[in-house]
Amino acid sequence: MSSKLFAMLALICVLWLENTNARGTVHVKEDGAIAKVLKDYDKYAYPGTTEQPIVKVWHGLSLEKMDYVGNMSKMTIDVWFELKWNDPRLTWSGTPARIRLPMSVIWTPDVVLFAHPNTKPLFNPNVVASRNGDVILLPDAKYETKNCTQKNDDVIECKFKFGSWTYGSDEIDLQAISPGMKLETYTENTEYQIVGTSAVREARKYDCCPETYDDIVYTIQIKPR
């Protein structure tokens, strides 16, 4: 190899090394926050603390689609359901303002439709956690109920009751995000029109347990077109 060619190759190597060193180690901006909050995190422990043992959980439904089968008195709804709560273990300082985490790695409220508690989301999205510990979860799901009754003026009323399956009012304070279902993204049914919705929070006591349990009853009122 000639000395001229050798010198050229050496120069290329030096320039490549200098460029590599200039770039340095790549730091993904969420790495530090995710590593911090998940270190020693126990996803089986609910986020109640000694100072604040009751976790406030907000629940809401955004209606996408509604179907009603009259001869079965059955209503089926497609919804985005929204859950919000605060987990003080999911806090950090600085950037980023938010991180995304799989549902499977953190604690999430076990709020279910009591009539069909085995109903699963149609997909499992990430939760979005803010650096102050606020967490939001927005899956979509399909629910059905046969708790439908005929009211006056051809109005049919169907109810969907949601609540925590295992946490009583002494651990979870379940609250409705809005006074009814959100209809901003609703696609109209061709046979029935919605004439009203409501969301009512109630506290009930069951024979099994000394504590009360919160639930939210969503009601949809429809009538034929």
Side-chain angles (χ1 to χ4, degrees):
M1 180 184 294
S2 68
S3 58
K4 185 176 181 180
L5 179 58
F6 179 81
M8 185 177 294
L9 290 174
L11 178 60
I12 291 173
C13 290
V14 169
L15 292 174
W16 180 82
L17 288 171
E18 287 180 350
N19 183 56
T20 301
N21 292 332
R23 286 182 296 175
T25 303
V26 175
H27 296 282
V28 177
K29 67 178 184 177
E30 293 187 353
D31 279 351
I34 292 174
K36 176 185 181 301
V37 299
L38 292 185
K39 183 181 179 182
D40 301 323
Y41 187 96
D42 186 353
K43 67 179 181 179
Y44 300 109
Y46 92 112
T49 65
T50 303
E51 296 77 17
Q52 292 184 328
I54 300 178
V55 178
K56 183 169 286 190
V57 176
W58 296 90
H59 183 272
L61 296 180
S62 294
L63 188 62
E64 298 284 315
K65 181 182 176 182
M66 180 276 300
D67 288 309
Y68 180 72
V69 181
N71 61 354
M72 299 178 64
S73 296
K74 182 178 76 172
M75 178 179 285
T76 303
I77 57 175
D78 289 35
V79 299
W80 292 98
F81 72 86
E82 184 175 0
L83 285 171
K84 297 179 179 180
W85 69 96
N86 185 274
D87 189 332
R89 298 168 295 181
L90 299 177
T91 59
W92 66 93
S93 58
T95 57
R98 293 167 298 280
I99 57 176
R100 287 84 182 166
L101 298 168
M103 293 171 57
S104 60
V105 302
I106 68 167
W107 178 88
T108 56
D110 60 345
V111 177
V112 297
L113 177 67
F114 282 160
H116 298 282
N118 60 340
T119 303
K120 302 296 182 183
L122 298 178
F123 83 109
N124 293 317
N126 289 338
V127 301
V128 180
S130 299
R131 59 187 167 207
N132 65 349
D134 286 346
V135 185
I136 183 170
L137 175 61
L138 282 167
D140 66 339
K142 183 186 291 288
Y143 297 117
E144 69 175 48
T145 183
K146 290 188 175 181
N147 185 5
C148 298
T149 55
Q150 183 79 43
K151 300 294 183 180
N152 296 330
D153 302 323
D154 295 328
V155 172
I156 301 160
E157 190 174 87
C158 298
K159 296 180 181 293
F160 298 80
K161 184 169 76 172
F162 292 82
S164 170
W165 195 250
T166 61
Y167 292 97
S169 305
D170 57 338
E171 293 175 309
I172 281 184
D173 176 13
L174 186 63
Q175 296 286 340
I177 291 176
S178 60
M181 291 189 184
K182 297 179 181 179
L183 302 177
E184 289 84 351
T185 57
Y186 173 63
T187 300
E188 292 285 347
N189 184 284
T190 57
E191 296 183 51
Y192 295 91
Q193 61 177 320
I194 294 177
V195 296
T197 74
S198 64
V200 178
R201 176 188 181 274
E202 299 176 338
R204 305 174 191 268
K205 194 173 184 303
Y206 298 92
D207 293 338
C208 67
C209 315
E211 66 274 10
T212 59
Y213 285 80
D214 297 339
D215 62 59
I216 298 174
V217 177
Y218 293 88
T219 302
I220 302 180
Q221 296 176 323
I222 61 173
K223 67 178 183 179
R225 292 188 179 276

